[in-house]
Amino acid sequence: MAKWLTTRNISIILIIIFITITFIFIIPISIPIIFALLTALLIDPIVRLTEKKFKWSRKTSVISVFIFILVILALFFYYAVTQLVGKIIHFTKVAPDYFNSLSGVWIDAQSKLFQFTSGMPKDVVTAIQKEFKNIFETIQESILGLLSYDKIMALMTEVPNFLVNLSVYIIVLFLFMLELPELKKMLFRHLTTSTAEKARFIIAKLNSAFFGFMKAQFIVSFIILGVAFVGLFLITPKYALIMSLTIWIIDLIPILGSVIVLAPWSLYQFISGDIATGTKLAILAAILLIIRSTIEPKVMGSQIGLSPLPTLIAMFLGLKLFGFLGLFIGPLAVILFTTAREAGIFKINFRI
């Protein structure tokens, strides 16, 4: 056993342990810092362009770009929050009318059920009524569960944590933007000429993949917007524009996306007795889900340099391992692995 305890093997074991500890314990709590670094790398070309265009110092360029971005984000969040608060206030005013209308819908649905089951055996009628009642109670419990005290308090307890993470993200982003050139120099100072060339190759590939990923998301989102608008214009022209824009924004949520909007809407139409509209909305939801599931890996693969199959597998495994962020971490890990192999950092050339 002693012959295995060489310096090289011990170093490999320590590196594996360090990487494992990093992925399990450090990365999950360092998400704001990681996102700040990625954002700083993304913004850096704008900072350098500002520095070159206006002949400003690095510090002046960083402060100008940083303030500009903060103003844009502040205006966006102000508009979003005011709109949300306005909708909540409006909902509290009209909620009684909504609940009364739902009660009317339930009574109307029961009368239609009685008409539909008239003439059937009593046991069959009782079974249908019981099942229908169970479905309604399940929906009611789900809605009440979302509005329960525990759910609301759990959401409220996350607000301070979110504010802390946001503050850390903003402060660290500004510092990264200032110190990015020095960090690059520090990194390359410890690298040999050959390793530095490989590192530059990997960084260039990752930058290209990141911009390709953002481009792919925009392409897929606009396809969803177009299909949703056309579909809703044929189904309900009155709400086509506003609802297609809502679907477009919410569709950025992976996996579910547009289903979050269209499924409850379709269910409401079914309960209201408008079977035709409910069916059309359900079909549109299925079409949008299929489009995102099939087109996204293909478009993303073409933009980031991966074929659809490894892209889809990486997104799925990343989602299962890391949740929402895994949809980005999965393809990024594959790109990093492929780029490192192309750069010659390691080679996989064996036969069994």
Side-chain angles (χ1 to χ4, degrees), residues 55-71:
K55 308 296 182 182
W56 290 345
S57 64
R58 172 79 185 185
K59 186 175 182 179
T60 305
S61 301
V62 166
I63 293 174
S64 302
V65 173
F66 185 74
I67 291 175
F68 176 76
I69 293 174
L70 282 185
V71 169

Side-chain angles (χ1 to χ4, degrees), residues 277-299:
T277 302
T279 303
K280 291 175 183 178
L281 291 173
I283 293 173
L284 179 60
I287 291 173
L288 294 179
L289 187 61
I290 291 171
I291 288 175
R292 175 158 286 279
S293 301
T294 55
I295 294 181
E296 184 177 31
K298 183 177 292 186
V299 174

Side-chain angles (χ1 to χ4, degrees), residues 188 191-200:
F188 285 101
L191 302 178
T192 62
T193 304
S194 175
T195 306
E197 289 298 322
K198 295 176 181 178
R200 290 190 181 93

Side-chain angles (χ1 to χ4, degrees), residues 255 293 296-298 300-301 304 306-323 326-334:
I255 304 302
S293 301
E296 184 177 31
K298 183 177 292 186
M300 189 179 295
I304 65 179
L306 293 177
S307 61
L309 180 60
T311 303
L312 181 59
I313 293 174
M315 292 173 66
F316 176 76
L317 293 178
L319 178 67
K320 291 296 183 182
L321 292 174
F322 302 103
L327 293 168
F328 308 97
I329 296 174
L332 182 63
V334 176

Side-chain angles (χ1 to χ4, degrees), residues 89-197:
I89 293 173
H90 176 71
F91 177 77
T92 57
K93 291 180 179 179
V94 300
D97 296 333
Y98 281 142
F99 285 115
N100 290 333
S101 64
L102 286 176
S103 300
V105 168
W106 169 241
I107 295 171
D108 184 57
Q110 281 184 317
S111 64
K112 289 183 178 180
L113 180 63
F114 291 142
Q115 294 176 6
F116 177 75
T117 56
S118 62
M120 292 185 178
K122 185 177 180 180
D123 293 339
V124 175
V125 174
T126 303
I128 293 175
Q129 290 176 347
K130 183 179 179 181
E131 191 64 30
F132 194 72
K133 183 179 179 182
N134 289 337
I135 293 173
F136 184 80
E137 288 178 351
T138 302
I139 296 172
Q140 186 181 25
E141 289 174 1
S142 300
I143 296 173
L144 293 176
L146 292 174
L147 300 176
S148 65
Y149 175 80
D150 293 336
K151 291 283 186 180
I152 294 174
M153 289 305 298
L155 181 63
M156 294 300 294
T157 54
E158 289 297 322
V159 172
N161 186 41
F162 171 76
L163 293 177
V164 170
N165 289 335
L166 181 62
S167 302
V168 170
Y169 169 79
I170 293 174
I171 295 171
V172 175
L173 171 61
F174 179 72
L175 295 177
F176 270 137
M177 290 172 65
L178 281 177
E179 301 295 334
L180 201 56
E182 293 300 322
L183 292 175
K184 290 181 179 179
K185 290 179 183 178
M186 187 185 304
L187 172 64
F188 285 101
R189 192 181 301 132
H190 297 283
L191 302 178
T192 62
T193 304
S194 175
T195 306
E197 289 298 322

Side-chain angles (χ1 to χ4, degrees), residues 6-19:
T6 61
T7 304
R8 181 174 180 275
N9 290 341
I10 293 174
S11 300
I12 292 173
I13 293 172
L14 291 176
I15 290 173
I16 293 173
I17 293 173
F18 174 75
I19 292 175

